[in-house]
Amino acid sequence: MVPADIIQKIKKVHIRTGRTVNTLMAGQYKSAFRGAGIEFEEVREYAPGDDVKSIDWKVSARLGRPFVKRYREEREMIVMLLVDLSASGRFGTQAAPKQAVAAETAAILAFNAIRNNDKVGAILFTDQVERYIPPQKGSGHVWRVIKEIFTHTPQHVGTDISGAVGFLGRVCRKRSVAFVISDFLLTGGNAVVDRQMRSVNRRHELIHILISDPGEFTLPEGGIVTVRELESGRLVRLDASHGPTRRRYEERRTEAHRHVKNEFKAANMDCIDISTAASTADVLARYFRVRERRRR
């Protein structure tokens, strides 16, 4: 049985995100992701106004006059939500911890997809894939996805993003748009973008959503602070009243955050930066607008 407080929380997210999709994002998602998949339709003779980039030069050379390739957009798109449920997601200094913001982000994306008649699936992961929900259509399915994100109890505390992305590549044969929702806090200084991620991105489009909390970048005003890494359990004591220590901590955390975004940029992958202090809907709507302009 699902506890009553969890049911109320799910209903609240369900209603709020549904309203957000209908009012703030009407048409934006569809415009931003139209034509994510295309199928070859025909070769026909060139007509004035056709894009010269679509000319089939081999056919044109063989027949002695210009012909163009025609494609049609696939009507149905598959949206996969890869949600990081590792222990670091429990951290939060705002109204909601990072994990709750990740759940709301996934809900907004799922509602947009269903509204556009796309299929939605989910992969919930820590340092292992813990739950796989195959892509389906329908508002009832969105409810199931949201419920699973809120009620699943992680069996592990670590993070293996590469493993989750590799699992996506194995179970999803048809091209999909996959949102990887995580704080991307990896232990051991490992690179975020590895060979596995690059390989899967050649078949699917990976869009990364970087969840952060303002409290991660600063220390309290003073005193000896014990910082515990939620995933490794390691304890570190810092003198928060020592100016150089505070600055060094803030600089390192800011640089680590910037480094993750730069890795995605270098790999030519989109990264959406969402803070727990910001409006998730506003950030996503802004990304949809930017993506739509980029595709024109």
Side-chain angles (χ1 to χ4, degrees), residues 82 125 160-169 180 182 184 186 191-208 260 263-264 267 269-270:
L82 281 68
F125 70 94
D160 184 2
I161 296 171
S162 180
V165 170
F167 182 84
L168 167 72
V180 184
S182 173
F184 294 96
L186 305 183
V192 175
V193 181
D194 60 8
R195 184 180 300 177
Q196 176 88 280
M197 191 173 286
R198 292 178 190 274
S199 174
V200 173
N201 190 59
R202 285 193 287 270
R203 180 174 180 82
H204 306 279
E205 181 179 5
L206 299 180
I207 299 173
H208 304 89
V260 171
E263 272 200 62
F264 290 131
M269 299 179 189
D270 284 0

Coordinates of all heavy atoms in Angstrom, one line a residue, residues 82 125 160-169 180 182 184 186 191-208 260 263-264 267 269-270:
L82 N 15.6 9.0 -17.5 CA 16.6 8.3 -16.6 C 16.8 9.1 -15.4 O 17.4 10.2 -15.4 CB 17.9 8.1 -17.4 CG 18.0 7.0 -18.4 CD1 17.1 7.3 -19.6 CD2 19.5 6.8 -18.9
F125 N 17.7 4.6 -11.4 CA 19.0 4.0 -11.1 C 19.7 4.6 -10.0 O 19.4 5.8 -9.6 CB 19.8 4.1 -12.4 CG 20.3 5.5 -12.7 CD1 21.5 5.9 -12.3 CD2 19.5 6.3 -13.5 CE1 21.9 7.2 -12.6 CE2 19.9 7.6 -13.8 CZ 21.1 8.1 -13.4
D160 N 25.9 5.3 -10.9 CA 26.5 4.8 -12.1 C 25.7 5.3 -13.3 O 24.8 4.5 -13.8 CB 26.7 3.3 -12.1 CG 27.4 2.7 -13.3 OD1 27.9 3.5 -14.1 OD2 27.5 1.5 -13.4
I161 N 26.0 6.5 -13.8 CA 25.2 7.0 -14.9 C 25.5 6.3 -16.2 O 24.7 6.0 -17.0 CB 25.5 8.5 -15.0 CG1 25.0 9.3 -13.8 CG2 24.9 9.1 -16.3 CD1 25.5 10.7 -13.7
S162 N 26.8 6.0 -16.3 CA 27.2 5.2 -17.5 C 26.5 3.9 -17.7 O 26.1 3.5 -18.7 CB 28.7 5.0 -17.5 OG 29.1 4.3 -18.7
G163 N 26.3 3.2 -16.5 CA 25.6 1.9 -16.5 C 24.1 2.1 -16.9 O 23.6 1.3 -17.7
A164 N 23.5 3.1 -16.4 CA 22.1 3.4 -16.8 C 21.9 3.7 -18.2 O 21.0 3.3 -18.9 CB 21.5 4.5 -15.9
V165 N 22.9 4.5 -18.8 CA 22.8 4.9 -20.2 C 23.1 3.7 -21.1 O 22.4 3.5 -22.1 CB 23.9 6.0 -20.5 CG1 24.0 6.2 -22.0 CG2 23.4 7.3 -19.8
G166 N 24.0 2.8 -20.6 CA 24.2 1.6 -21.3 C 23.0 0.7 -21.4 O 22.7 0.0 -22.4
F167 N 22.3 0.6 -20.2 CA 21.1 -0.2 -20.2 C 20.0 0.4 -21.2 O 19.3 -0.4 -21.8 CB 20.5 -0.1 -18.7 CG 19.2 -0.9 -18.5 CD1 19.3 -2.3 -18.2 CD2 18.0 -0.3 -18.6 CE1 18.1 -3.0 -18.1 CE2 16.8 -1.0 -18.4 CZ 16.9 -2.4 -18.1
L168 N 19.9 1.7 -21.3 CA 19.0 2.3 -22.2 C 19.4 1.8 -23.7 O 18.5 1.5 -24.4 CB 19.2 3.8 -22.2 CG 18.5 4.6 -23.4 CD1 17.0 4.6 -23.2 CD2 19.0 6.0 -23.4
G169 N 20.7 1.8 -24.0 CA 21.1 1.4 -25.3 C 20.7 -0.1 -25.6 O 20.5 -0.4 -26.7
V180 N 18.5 12.5 -19.0 CA 19.2 11.9 -17.9 C 19.2 13.0 -16.8 O 19.8 14.0 -16.9 CB 20.7 11.6 -18.2 CG1 21.4 10.9 -17.1 CG2 20.7 10.7 -19.5
S182 N 20.0 14.1 -13.0 CA 21.0 13.7 -12.0 C 21.7 15.0 -11.5 O 21.6 16.0 -12.1 CB 22.0 12.7 -12.5 OG 23.0 12.4 -11.6
F184 N 24.9 14.6 -11.0 CA 26.2 14.3 -11.7 C 27.3 14.4 -10.7 O 28.4 14.8 -11.1 CB 26.4 15.1 -12.9 CG 25.4 14.8 -14.0 CD1 24.2 15.6 -14.2 CD2 25.6 13.7 -14.9 CE1 23.3 15.3 -15.1 CE2 24.6 13.4 -15.9 CZ 23.5 14.2 -16.0
L186 N 29.9 12.5 -9.2 CA 30.5 11.2 -9.3 C 31.8 11.2 -8.4 O 32.5 12.1 -8.3 CB 31.0 11.0 -10.8 CG 29.8 11.1 -11.8 CD1 30.4 10.7 -13.2 CD2 28.7 10.1 -11.5
A191 N 35.2 10.9 -15.2 CA 34.6 11.7 -16.3 C 33.2 11.4 -16.4 O 32.7 10.3 -16.3 CB 35.3 11.5 -17.6
V192 N 32.4 12.5 -16.6 CA 30.9 12.3 -16.8 C 30.6 11.7 -18.2 O 29.8 10.7 -18.3 CB 30.2 13.6 -16.6 CG1 28.7 13.4 -16.9 CG2 30.4 14.2 -15.2
V193 N 31.2 12.2 -19.2 CA 31.0 11.7 -20.6 C 32.1 10.7 -20.9 O 33.3 11.0 -21.0 CB 31.1 12.9 -21.6 CG1 30.8 12.4 -23.0 CG2 30.1 14.0 -21.2
D194 N 31.7 9.4 -21.0 CA 32.7 8.4 -21.3 C 32.3 7.7 -22.6 O 31.4 8.2 -23.3 CB 32.7 7.3 -20.2 CG 31.4 6.7 -19.9 OD1 30.4 6.9 -20.7 OD2 31.2 5.9 -19.0
R195 N 33.0 6.7 -23.0 CA 32.8 6.0 -24.3 C 31.4 5.4 -24.4 O 30.8 5.5 -25.5 CB 33.9 4.9 -24.4 CG 33.8 4.2 -25.8 CD 34.9 3.1 -25.9 NE 36.2 3.7 -25.7 CZ 37.3 2.9 -25.7 NH1 37.2 1.6 -25.8 NH2 38.5 3.5 -25.5
Q196 N 30.9 4.9 -23.3 CA 29.6 4.3 -23.3 C 28.5 5.4 -23.7 O 27.6 5.2 -24.5 CB 29.3 3.7 -21.9 CG 27.8 3.2 -21.8 CD 27.7 1.8 -22.2 OE1 27.6 1.5 -23.4 NE2 27.8 0.9 -21.2
M197 N 28.6 6.5 -23.0 CA 27.7 7.6 -23.3 C 27.8 8.1 -24.7 O 26.7 8.4 -25.3 CB 27.9 8.8 -22.3 CG 26.8 9.8 -22.3 SD 27.0 11.0 -20.9 CE 26.5 10.0 -19.5
R198 N 29.0 8.3 -25.2 CA 29.1 8.7 -26.6 C 28.5 7.7 -27.6 O 27.9 8.1 -28.6 CB 30.6 8.9 -26.9 CG 31.3 10.1 -26.1 CD 32.7 10.2 -26.5 NE 33.4 11.1 -25.6 CZ 33.5 12.5 -25.8 NH1 32.9 13.0 -26.9 NH2 34.1 13.2 -25.0
S199 N 28.7 6.4 -27.3 CA 28.2 5.4 -28.2 C 26.7 5.4 -28.2 O 26.1 5.4 -29.3 CB 28.7 4.0 -27.7 OG 28.1 3.0 -28.5
V200 N 26.1 5.5 -27.0 CA 24.6 5.5 -27.0 C 24.0 6.8 -27.6 O 23.0 6.7 -28.3 CB 24.1 5.3 -25.5 CG1 22.6 5.5 -25.4 CG2 24.5 4.0 -25.0
N201 N 24.7 7.9 -27.5 CA 24.3 9.2 -28.0 C 24.3 9.2 -29.5 O 23.6 10.0 -30.2 CB 25.1 10.3 -27.5 CG 24.6 11.7 -27.8 OD1 23.4 12.0 -27.4 ND2 25.3 12.5 -28.6
R202 N 25.0 8.3 -30.2 CA 25.0 8.2 -31.6 C 23.6 7.6 -32.1 O 23.2 7.8 -33.3 CB 26.2 7.3 -32.1 CG 27.5 8.1 -32.1 CD 28.5 7.4 -32.9 NE 29.0 6.2 -32.2 CZ 30.0 6.1 -31.4 NH1 30.7 7.2 -31.1 NH2 30.4 5.0 -30.8
R203 N 23.0 6.8 -31.3 CA 21.7 6.1 -31.7 C 20.5 6.9 -31.1 O 19.5 7.1 -31.7 CB 21.7 4.7 -31.2 CG 20.4 4.0 -31.6 CD 20.5 2.5 -31.2 NE 19.2 1.8 -31.6 CZ 18.9 1.4 -32.8 NH1 19.7 1.6 -33.8 NH2 17.8 0.8 -33.0
H204 N 20.7 7.3 -29.8 CA 19.6 8.1 -29.2 C 20.1 9.5 -28.9 O 21.3 9.7 -28.9 CB 19.2 7.4 -27.8 CG 18.9 6.0 -28.0 ND1 17.6 5.5 -28.4 CD2 19.6 4.8 -27.7 CE1 17.6 4.2 -28.4 NE2 18.8 3.8 -28.0
E205 N 19.2 10.4 -28.7 CA 19.6 11.8 -28.3 C 19.6 11.9 -26.7 O 18.5 11.7 -26.1 CB 18.7 12.8 -28.9 CG 19.2 14.2 -28.5 CD 18.4 15.4 -29.1 OE1 17.4 15.1 -29.7 OE2 18.8 16.5 -28.9
L206 N 20.7 12.1 -26.1 CA 20.8 12.2 -24.7 C 20.8 13.7 -24.3 O 21.6 14.5 -24.8 CB 22.1 11.6 -24.2 CG 22.3 10.1 -24.4 CD1 23.6 9.7 -23.8 CD2 21.1 9.3 -23.8
I207 N 19.8 14.1 -23.5 CA 19.7 15.4 -23.0 C 19.9 15.4 -21.4 O 19.2 14.6 -20.8 CB 18.4 16.1 -23.3 CG1 18.2 16.2 -24.8 CG2 18.3 17.5 -22.7 CD1 16.9 16.6 -25.3
H208 N 20.9 16.1 -20.9 CA 21.2 15.9 -19.5 C 20.6 17.1 -18.7 O 20.7 18.2 -19.1 CB 22.7 15.9 -19.3 CG 23.3 14.8 -20.1 ND1 23.7 14.9 -21.4 CD2 23.6 13.5 -19.8 CE1 24.2 13.8 -21.9 NE2 24.1 12.9 -20.9
V260 N 31.3 19.9 -15.2 CA 30.3 18.9 -15.7 C 29.6 19.5 -17.0 O 29.5 18.9 -18.0 CB 29.2 18.6 -14.7 CG1 28.0 17.9 -15.3 CG2 29.8 17.8 -13.5
E263 N 32.0 19.5 -20.0 CA 32.1 18.2 -20.6 C 31.0 17.9 -21.6 O 31.3 17.4 -22.7 CB 32.1 17.1 -19.5 CG 33.5 16.8 -18.9 CD 33.5 15.4 -18.2 OE1 33.3 14.4 -18.9 OE2 33.7 15.4 -17.0
F264 N 29.8 18.2 -21.2 CA 28.7 18.0 -22.1 C 28.8 18.9 -23.3 O 28.5 18.5 -24.5 CB 27.3 18.3 -21.4 CG 27.0 17.2 -20.4 CD1 26.6 17.6 -19.1 CD2 27.1 15.9 -20.7 CE1 26.3 16.6 -18.2 CE2 26.8 14.9 -19.8 CZ 26.4 15.2 -18.5
A267 N 31.2 17.6 -25.7 CA 30.7 16.4 -26.4 C 29.5 16.7 -27.3 O 28.9 15.8 -27.9 CB 30.3 15.3 -25.4
M269 N 26.5 17.7 -26.4 CA 25.3 17.2 -25.8 C 24.6 18.3 -25.0 O 25.3 19.1 -24.3 CB 25.6 16.0 -24.9 CG 26.2 14.8 -25.5 SD 26.5 13.5 -24.3 CE 27.4 12.3 -25.3
D270 N 23.3 18.4 -25.0 CA 22.6 19.5 -24.3 C 22.7 19.2 -22.8 O 22.6 18.0 -22.4 CB 21.2 19.5 -24.7 CG 21.0 20.2 -26.1 OD1 22.0 20.6 -26.7 OD2 19.8 20.3 -26.6

